[in-house]
Amino acid sequence: MQNTSNLLYINNSKVVNLKSEKLFREAEDDFYYFNNINSALKKLKEALLLTPYHFKSLTLCADIYFIKGKIKNALELYLKALNNNNDCVRTNGAIANCYYSLKQFNLALSFAQKALDKIDWENYQLYYQIIEIKINSLVELKEYKSAYITFIQSQNILDRVTLNNIFNSNFDIINEKLKLQKKIKHSGLKIV
């Protein structure tokens, strides 16, 4: 016979209200199939009231906020989701994207690197997006040599089509800046 008076063995962070799961699935249908973003958001908010740590509801709600341009709201929810599952590559990548959108490039770079450290190669498209955030953050931080090295290292992993997209948008800028830095270094001039 089970002792039900001692509930210490129950991990409450793993218990999900069934209505939360039902609301999440309805919101998922509204969002993906019926393109009804507002209805999906309403259902997700209700699901999160019932189960505040429901990972799937947190991430989908954050995705919707990001799409609507409410980056800070999205970031807050992604960070809550990350507390529940800190190994999630997608969540780390989404946080990096939020920080990049908020022009907090150091934090974007940090979370992009966390995502890249945990990525498995089945998430090929995710790798491309995260590496692009990392390179763009390095360019914004004027760390052109690191951006160049990251670009060269990604050549081994990315296919030519994907690499050309990154190449077209960043490689010329990175190359110009590296050449300029070399000229300045050899000339003895300093930029004030």
Side-chain angles (χ1 to χ4, degrees), residues 127-133 135-136 147 150-152 154-155 158-174:
Y127 177 82
Y128 162 71
Q129 293 168 357
I130 294 170
I131 205 73
E132 188 173 20
I133 291 170
I135 291 172
N136 288 339
T150 302
F151 178 79
I152 296 303
S154 66
Q155 282 181 324
L158 297 173
D159 65 8
R160 294 235 179 255
V161 174
T162 305
L163 197 57
N164 281 338
N165 289 338
I166 294 175
F167 179 83
N168 291 335
S169 63
N170 287 320
F171 193 72
D172 291 335
I173 295 169
I174 294 170

Side-chain angles (χ1 to χ4, degrees), residues 179-192:
K179 286 177 186 177
L180 182 62
Q181 284 179 346
K182 281 183 183 179
K183 284 181 184 177
I184 291 171
K185 184 178 178 183
H186 291 293
S187 70
L189 297 174
K190 292 186 178 181
I191 297 177
V192 180

Side-chain angles (χ1 to χ4, degrees), residues 10 12 18 28 35 38 49-50 80 101 110 133 142 150 156 160 162 180 184:
I10 296 176
N12 285 331
L18 287 178
E28 197 175 37
N35 200 23
N38 293 328
L49 284 174
L50 296 169
K80 281 183 185 178
S101 297
S110 172
I133 291 170
K142 297 180 174 38
T150 302
N156 298 331
R160 294 235 179 255
T162 305
L180 182 62
I184 291 171

Side-chain angles (χ1 to χ4, degrees), residues 1-7 9-10:
M1 182 174 203
Q2 186 175 359
N3 184 0
T4 57
S5 64
N6 186 2
L7 298 177
Y9 65 90
I10 296 176

Side-chain angles (χ1 to χ4, degrees), residues 81-100:
L82 191 65
N83 284 337
N84 293 339
N85 183 1
N86 60 4
D87 289 334
C88 183
V89 174
R90 185 185 173 283
T91 306
N92 278 293
I95 291 170
N97 196 22
C98 286
Y99 280 128
Y100 183 80

Side-chain angles (χ1 to χ4, degrees), residues 45-153:
K45 286 179 181 179
E46 188 179 342
L48 289 172
L49 284 174
L50 296 169
T51 312
Y53 43 81
H54 189 233
F55 182 78
K56 295 185 288 186
S57 294
L58 284 168
T59 54
L60 185 57
C61 192
D63 290 345
I64 292 172
Y65 277 133
F66 189 87
I67 289 168
K68 291 182 121 203
K70 297 180 179 182
I71 309 299
K72 289 181 180 178
N73 293 1
L75 179 60
E76 181 183 326
L77 291 173
Y78 284 132
L79 289 170
K80 281 183 185 178
L82 191 65
N83 284 337
N84 293 339
N85 183 1
N86 60 4
D87 289 334
C88 183
V89 174
R90 185 185 173 283
T91 306
N92 278 293
I95 291 170
N97 196 22
C98 286
Y99 280 128
Y100 183 80
S101 297
L102 294 171
K103 300 189 184 312
Q104 295 179 12
F105 303 115
N106 283 322
L107 289 169
L109 185 60
S110 172
F111 278 95
Q113 190 58 52
K114 286 179 187 177
L116 289 171
D117 290 342
K118 296 175 182 184
I119 201 162
D120 59 357
W121 300 115
E122 293 173 8
N123 293 326
Y124 179 73
Q125 285 299 101
L126 195 56
Y127 177 82
Y128 162 71
Q129 293 168 357
I130 294 170
I131 205 73
E132 188 173 20
I133 291 170
K134 182 178 179 181
I135 291 172
N136 288 339
S137 295
L138 287 167
V139 168
E140 291 293 337
L141 292 169
K142 297 180 174 38
E143 294 182 24
Y144 303 113
K145 190 171 185 176
S146 296
Y148 179 77
I149 291 169
T150 302
F151 178 79
I152 296 303
Q153 289 172 341

